[in-house]
Amino acid sequence: MADEPQKKPHLSALVGHTNGLTKPASLAATATRAGGGGGGGATASSKKLVIKNFRERPKLPDNYTQDTWQKLHEAVGAIQNSISIKYNLEELYQAVENLCSYKVSATLYKQLRQVCEEHVKAQILQFREYPFVMHKNSLDSLLFLKKINKCWQDHCRQMIMIRSIFLFLDRTYVLQNSMLPSIWDMGLELFRNHIISDKQVQTKTIDGILLLIERERNGEAVDRSLLRSLLSMLSDLQQVYKESFEQRFLEETNCLYAAEGQRLMQEREVPEYLHHVNKRLEEEGDRVITYLDHSTQKPLIACVEKQLLGEHLSAILQKGLDSLLDENRISDLTQTYQLFSRVKGGQQILLQHWSEYIKNFGTTIVVNPEKDKDMVQELLDFKDKVDHIIEVCFQKNEKFINLMKESFETFINKRPNKPAELIAKYVDSKLRAGNKEATDEELERILDKIMIIFRFIHGKDVFEAFYKKDLAKRLLVGKSASVDAEKSMLSKLKHECGAAFTSKLEGMFKDMELSKDVMVQFKQYMQNQSDPGNIDLTVNILTMGYWPTYTPMEVHLNSEMIKLQEVFKTFYLGKHSGRKLQWQTTLGHAVLKAEFKEGKKEFQVSLFQTLVLLMFNEGDEFSFEEIKMATGVEDSELRRTLQSLACGKARVLIKNPKGKDVEDGDKFIFNGDFKHKLFRIKINQIQMKETVEEQVSTTERVFQDRQYQIDAAIVRIMKMRKTLGHNLLVSELYNQLKFPVKPGDLKKRIESLIDRDYMERDKDNPNQYHYVA
């Protein structure tokens, strides 16, 4: 585009070559003298130069306007026909400026518009030769588009040249008349009105563009620069793009992707389908960048998302989410989350299916008794898996994290009490000596994971009961892997459940520490005795309230053991008068020395195993009944003990007849040929194993404790409120109790308290209770 020359003073427009204007001689001479004097600065006497306006405005020569327009008309025609212009462009610009200076602007603008209009009107004829309806497979469409594009490019080039010549007109007269379009806008208006607004041309153009886009969507290579140029043309022609192209384009896009979505949902698996959706979204985004108008992006992408995703949200998740989660398809799950997040309501429906999956999968782990052995490990693995999916695939979305926690809590409590019991036993297996699976750091990490699962459990009192029982065994039988790990677990429980929850457990550790001090004093005491004896006795002093309840079992100890017991009793009660000692035989253990043909061995055995083995110092063979009579060990416990000695890996005794179970009448013979690669052999693992009776009694004790807690809570509430309705009382109890309880159980406890005169029913309203002081 030609730059606008600097505007000259009105006077100078008539100086020099003036396209046929005649200049006055006197003015020229004056100007020359003045110029010479001023320029050289060498005149003898400086003289003030005064320039005055003409008394009369110079007149244009006859036919000047007509002749000048003829030149301009020829130049415009040459531009339109792409031939060389006879005149200098500067000369033409000057001519336009001269005409504008003499107020011929309105006529000039009108004449220019007319010339341009005639030329544009003539262009329409070249498009008539194409058939109105074009076949999709014919080349007519492409040829037509190229023709219209060439016409548009030529028109733009011509209007730029014409505008550069008529720039003075554009920047003076047109600028001052707001109702008139600029020369460029006039050109656009003419092209729109006479070519693109022609129904036949417009239809063929838009049909052709849509056909090219359709071919590209089907995978064919198309001329993208042609599309970009044509769509840019429609955008420049103001409303044509919006009204005529975009609406049809979006309708066809909608139909295409609606049909494609329905078809591919039937044909493809979910990962493939989602990959296709992603590909389509990228393609459409690229189209916007390459040739569509930017304003089309939002409705276009929304259309693709709606038809390929929004219409199939539930179907996609029902068809494939479970398998993606089962197979841990991280990349596919990430894509699912990203795509569903783009659609309104997508995340919400994904959340629902996510929750259902966790509940269903978790329920299969928890409710099946056959899986009890591996339940806790499977829960930990499952939790690790969902955590990883949330972190990597769901971008640590808080909604997914919170719903996962709720889902875990729901399914893990579908089977009351059992998960709590199994978690306690799992912790026991990890904290017990001989667990070579983990280093200290790994063990700490496992305990942290266990605590996360522990949080979801409602019946934490069940966990406490079993944990306490197992902790007692680890401490008393010396089977704890690490005191640091034990205390670490204790601090985690304290942080999670409060000091009241762990006070008894902490008491157990204190007892063990105090017992060590007592034993140091006892050893000193024994050294001062006249007959210290051959047995090295270690006693753990346990505070009854801290430790699990053990059923006392009277057994027949040998005389040396009884003597030692009495010595210790005398020593201890001498220091702590008023205390009562009760010996617990079930968790006693000893180290026995034995001689075999192969040589000497040491056995780490329970007290019951000790009593049985010591009998074989008196003889080589005893029957089951004889052993039972001599030791006084309870029947079932004795059978377990003999089984461990005669049917386990280290068979110190030989059972006759052979068999896994110990029956009445079985005989046991000392195995003199016993062989083992180790010098010290542990046979007392039997003490660490839980019996069915132990498991039942622990569970029953928990239920008994729960009844006491319910009774205490009811009395506490009634004492404070004095009078309360049944429903309000039950609601208050649910808020206070920390374990799951059924309404029927609460009703029984209320009845029990009424029977025991802690409270009474209202005489008029049976659902109202009064506290009895």
Side-chain angles (χ1 to χ4, degrees), residues 11-23 60-61 64 68 94 98:
L11 179 71
S12 68
L14 301 177
V15 177
H17 181 72
T18 52
N19 293 306
L21 273 90
T22 313
K23 59 187 176 185
L60 290 172
Y64 176 76
T68 307
Q94 189 67 60
N98 289 337

Side-chain angles (χ1 to χ4, degrees), residues 539-542 544 565 568-570 572-573 579-583:
V539 181
N540 289 313
I541 315 294
L542 313 181
M544 197 171 277
Q565 271 190 352
F568 181 80
K569 191 173 179 181
T570 306
Y572 186 76
L573 295 179
R579 291 189 181 179
K580 183 184 175 186
L581 287 179
Q582 185 182 59
W583 295 92

Side-chain angles (χ1 to χ4, degrees), residues 429-479:
S429 72
K430 296 298 174 188
L431 293 176
R432 196 186 289 181
N435 172 31
K436 295 170 184 173
E437 298 170 28
T439 61
D440 289 346
E441 291 79 12
E442 285 169 351
L443 182 58
E444 189 68 18
R445 202 159 49 247
I446 289 168
L447 295 180
D448 284 334
K449 288 179 180 178
I450 282 286
M451 288 309 298
I452 293 169
I453 301 291
F454 172 73
R455 280 185 200 126
F456 301 132
I457 290 167
H458 290 162
K460 291 183 171 62
D461 52 345
V462 175
F463 172 89
E464 184 196 10
F466 281 93
Y467 183 79
K468 185 176 174 182
K469 174 181 68 66
D470 293 330
L471 173 63
K473 283 189 177 182
R474 291 197 300 278
L475 294 177
L476 296 175
V477 184
K479 290 286 184 179

Side-chain angles (χ1 to χ4, degrees), residues 76 78-82 116 119-120 123 126-127 146-162 184 187-188 191 195 229 233:
V76 170
I79 290 168
Q80 289 171 338
N81 293 310
S82 300
C116 290
H119 175 73
V120 172
Q123 299 305 308
Q126 64 181 310
F127 302 113
K146 286 182 176 176
K147 193 89 171 173
I148 197 90
N149 186 50
K150 185 177 184 305
C151 179
W152 166 249
Q153 296 294 345
D154 290 348
H155 175 76
C156 291
R157 182 177 46 76
Q158 290 160 15
M159 289 312 298
I160 287 167
M161 285 289 288
I162 291 166
W184 174 257
L188 293 181
F191 195 87
I195 294 181
S229 178
M233 172 189 79

Side-chain angles (χ1 to χ4, degrees), residues 31-123:
T32 306
R33 280 198 303 276
T43 50
S45 60
S46 61
K47 200 170 181 182
K48 194 172 181 183
L49 177 66
V50 179
I51 299 175
K52 296 179 180 177
N53 286 336
F54 294 124
R55 287 199 185 97
E56 290 180 17
R57 182 180 172 84
K59 290 182 182 178
L60 290 172
D62 295 339
N63 300 325
Y64 176 76
T65 306
Q66 193 177 345
D67 292 346
T68 307
W69 166 243
Q70 192 59 42
K71 278 184 185 180
L72 293 168
H73 189 194
E74 283 177 29
V76 170
I79 290 168
Q80 289 171 338
N81 293 310
S82 300
I83 57 176
S84 60
I85 306 167
K86 285 194 279 183
Y87 308 102
N88 184 313
L89 288 176
E90 191 179 348
E91 185 183 332
L92 293 169
Y93 181 91
Q94 189 67 60
V96 172
E97 187 175 341
N98 289 337
L99 289 174
C100 291
S101 301
Y102 280 86
K103 298 187 178 177
V104 194
S105 301
T107 310
L108 186 59
Y109 183 84
K110 194 174 177 184
Q111 287 172 322
L112 176 63
R113 182 183 174 95
Q114 191 178 345
V115 170
C116 290
E117 190 166 15
E118 285 168 3
H119 175 73
V120 172
K121 276 182 179 176
Q123 299 305 308

Side-chain angles (χ1 to χ4, degrees), residues 177-405:
N177 289 271
S178 59
M179 300 300 290
L180 290 177
S182 69
I183 292 171
W184 174 257
D185 288 343
M186 175 192 76
L188 293 181
E189 186 184 302
L190 293 173
F191 195 87
R192 182 173 67 247
N193 292 344
H194 298 296
I195 294 181
I196 291 300
S197 291
D198 181 274
K199 191 175 180 185
Q200 199 171 333
V201 173
Q202 190 180 105
T203 304
K204 282 195 277 189
T205 303
I206 289 168
D207 281 351
I209 292 170
L210 291 172
L211 178 59
L212 276 186
I213 293 172
E214 185 186 333
R215 283 179 178 171
E216 189 183 44
R217 281 173 170 164
N218 291 334
E220 295 179 38
V222 297
D223 187 345
R224 289 185 135 205
S225 61
L226 176 63
L227 278 170
R228 182 166 55 248
S229 178
L230 289 168
L231 289 167
S232 173
M233 172 189 79
L234 295 182
S235 292
D236 290 345
L237 299 175
Q238 293 173 3
Q239 293 303 309
V240 180
Y241 182 90
K242 281 275 175 202
E243 291 172 1
S244 304
F245 168 75
E246 190 178 73
Q247 197 175 345
R248 273 194 61 195
F249 169 68
L250 291 174
E251 283 171 7
E252 292 203 5
T253 302
N254 208 47
C255 294
L256 168 76
Y257 287 127
E260 186 172 276
Q262 293 287 349
R263 176 171 55 81
L264 293 181
M265 272 302 293
Q266 303 295 324
E267 294 174 5
R268 298 193 179 181
E269 291 301 314
V270 166
E272 293 170 14
Y273 181 79
L274 292 175
H275 182 71
H276 177 78
V277 173
N278 208 42
K279 181 165 159 275
R280 282 302 202 193
L281 285 166
E282 285 173 3
E283 286 172 2
E284 297 303 336
D286 183 51
R287 274 185 196 101
V288 173
I289 294 166
T290 310
Y291 54 74
L292 292 169
D293 189 81
H294 184 69
S295 63
T296 310
Q297 180 173 12
K298 200 170 180 181
L300 172 61
I301 298 301
C303 171
V304 181
E305 287 172 350
K306 181 176 182 292
Q307 295 302 340
L308 293 185
L309 283 172
E311 298 292 329
H312 308 287
L313 292 175
S314 291
I316 290 169
L317 296 177
Q318 285 166 5
K319 186 177 179 182
L321 182 66
D322 285 7
S323 61
L324 293 183
L325 289 166
D326 285 341
E327 294 164 26
N328 212 23
R329 303 269 286 272
I330 297 295
S331 60
D332 292 328
L333 286 166
T334 305
Q335 191 171 62
T336 304
Y337 175 79
Q338 289 170 349
L339 290 173
F340 272 62
S341 297
R342 299 177 69 137
V343 186
K344 188 180 178 183
Q347 261 196 26
Q348 195 54 42
I349 198 164
L350 181 58
L351 272 168
Q352 290 167 10
H353 280 78
W354 165 247
S355 174
E356 285 304 312
Y357 173 80
I358 292 174
K359 287 176 191 171
N360 293 338
F361 191 92
T363 302
T364 59
I365 297 173
V366 170
V367 300
N368 187 357
E370 292 174 11
K371 287 191 171 183
D372 282 359
K373 187 181 175 187
D374 302 315
M375 182 202 288
V376 180
Q377 189 57 55
E378 285 188 28
L379 285 173
L380 291 172
D381 294 343
F382 183 48
K383 180 69 172 54
D384 283 346
K385 177 180 166 179
V386 296
D387 283 346
H388 183 65
I389 289 169
I390 287 172
E391 185 176 349
V392 177
C393 308
F394 299 161
Q395 299 171 2
K396 300 179 184 175
N397 187 315
E398 282 294 323
K399 290 180 182 174
F400 283 84
I401 294 171
N402 294 334
L403 197 61
M404 176 270 289
K405 290 176 181 175

Side-chain angles (χ1 to χ4, degrees), residues 667-678:
K667 294 194 183 304
F668 295 89
I669 304 154
F670 180 71
N671 182 8
D673 298 324
F674 176 80
K675 291 181 181 179
H676 203 282
K677 61 183 178 181
L678 297 176

